[in-house]
Amino acid sequence: TTTPAQASPATARPDEADSNGRPLVELRHVDKHFGDLHVLKDINLTVSKGEVLVVLGPSGSGKSTMCRTINRLETIDSGSILIDGTPLPQEGRELTRLRAEVGMVFQQFNLFANKTIIDNVMLAPVKVRHVSKQDAHDEAMELLARVGVDSQAEKYPAQLSGGQQQRVAIARALAMHPKVMLFDEPTSALDPEMVNEVLDVMLELAGEGMTMICVTHEMGFARKAADRVVFMADGKILETGAPDDFFEHPRTERAKDFLSKII
Ligand code: ADP
Ligand code: MG
């Protein structure tokens, strides 16, 4: 597999420059406060096309907030965020368009409880992408098959297990054809026996070249899937590096301390 490190701007062949290696998500000097609390401190981060980034860090370090700023569920105080080269504006039609390019999967599955599984997946493509109902239905069924829950299409979320609901949430995000997928602790609310069925879907997506930002404490997944690991603490990115490097040789005390508690 091609790692983004091999396709960095310095080494990429010219024909690669506009495909793999292109920055899809860029955070430049991003700062964010909640009242007096400084939650994101000069965050600088570039995620290349096809790259899988795993974000680690103790609870309260700003991981979720960082994810939420990327599709503008949270505003930022200063700095800028670019999606595929275009700065996220404050509001308006361009924001709606850019937001649709970022798929998000949360810890709580956030499915619409009063809609069937298939309707959950079809809704946004019909409403936002203006896809015909027939086409949206066909694609939704394909996506549900891909994540292994097509047999549940006519059921309601509460009739599914947590692992199945989370796989539906992934299918629903994919139905918008996002350029990048954000996962914020997607397996933290699951019973242990359901964690792998969700991680397997994520691994498959990673293998297919999806650009992904994953907040997770699943170290097995991080080692298998991550091209790069980012370690956050107190609203700052303290370390960034290849997964093996980070896990074997964390440089900061915060990271050593964190790893000693979770591995
Ligand atoms: P993480 O995901 O790494 O656990 P968060 O991004 O959720 O961290 O939170 C970072 C800090 O911001 C925490 O101290 C949290 O309590 C605080 N915080 C998060 N969301 C809000 C909010 N909407 N209002 C006020 N404080 C918040
Ligand atoms: Mg969080």
Side-chain angles (χ1 to χ4, degrees):
T1 60
T2 316
T3 66
Q6 289 163 336
S8 67
T11 55
R13 296 197 308 272
D15 60 339
E16 287 176 337
D18 57 358
S19 54
N20 274 2
R22 176 178 77 196
L24 261 193
V25 177
E26 257 187 289
L27 281 74
R28 296 182 184 162
H29 302 295
V30 169
D31 267 271
K32 163 88 184 163
H33 293 76
F34 285 118
D36 289 337
L37 191 64
H38 199 176
V39 281
L40 297 178
K41 300 172 183 166
D42 193 30
I43 298 289
N44 291 282
L45 184 68
T46 301
V47 185
S48 303
K49 185 165 186 289
E51 189 174 24
V52 177
L53 186 80
V54 166
V55 181
L56 301 170
S59 177
S61 55
K63 306 180 299 295
S64 293
T65 305
M66 183 176 81
C67 283
R68 292 165 59 81
T69 63
I70 295 173
N71 65 355
R72 199 48 173 71
L73 291 171
E74 294 287 356
T75 56
I76 58 177
D77 300 338
S78 58
S80 54
I81 297 177
L82 294 85
I83 307 293
D84 205 5
T86 307
L88 266 186
Q90 289 299 310
E91 57 192 2
R93 194 175 291 181
E94 181 71 355
L95 175 65
T96 308
R97 188 184 72 73
L98 287 170
R99 202 180 245 164
E101 297 187 341
V102 181
M104 185 137 183
V105 175
F106 304 89
Q107 184 173 332
Q108 301 302 337
F109 327 121
N110 292 351
L111 297 177
F112 299 112
N114 60 344
K115 293 197 185 300
T116 60
I117 297 305
I118 185 80
D119 283 346
N120 263 278
V121 180
M122 289 171 58
L123 192 69
V126 170
K127 286 233 152 93
V128 182
R129 285 177 53 225
H130 307 296
V131 177
S132 75
K133 280 204 166 156
Q134 186 60 53
D135 287 352
H137 182 275
D138 292 349
E139 193 185 358
M141 282 308 294
E142 275 170 37
L143 287 166
L144 289 173
R146 199 164 142 198
V147 300
V149 286
D150 47 328
S151 62
Q152 314 294 315
E154 301 305 329
K155 293 189 180 164
Y156 286 86
Q159 296 173 279
L160 272 58
S161 73
Q164 288 174 322
Q165 289 188 56
Q166 196 57 304
R167 285 183 283 149
V168 173
I170 294 173
R172 184 175 65 173
L174 291 174
M176 289 300 284
H177 299 183
K179 287 183 178 168
V180 53
M181 286 281 287
L182 305 182
F183 294 88
D184 189 2
E185 302 205 31
T187 61
S188 297
L190 297 178
D191 291 334
E193 73 270 21
M194 293 169 190
V195 166
N196 278 330
E197 66 192 56
V198 172
L199 293 179
D200 285 347
V201 169
M202 291 168 66
L203 273 170
E204 209 172 290
L205 268 182
E208 288 163 9
M210 176 60 79
T211 308
M212 295 167 48
I213 300 175
C214 313
V215 180
T216 178
H217 293 159
E218 293 293 334
M219 293 303 133
F221 172 83
R223 280 179 183 270
K224 267 187 260 179
D227 295 303
R228 201 153 48 99
V229 167
V230 159
F231 176 73
M232 287 182 76
D234 299 328
K236 280 184 264 191
I237 292 179
L238 292 190
E239 300 199 28
T240 166
D244 286 348
D245 223 34
F246 175 74
F247 291 122
E248 308 304 332
H249 309 290
R251 292 187 301 271
T252 59
E253 286 308 316
R254 289 304 300 270
K256 284 176 195 167
D257 183 53
F258 174 77
L259 287 172
S260 74
K261 283 177 184 147
I262 58 162
I263 292 184

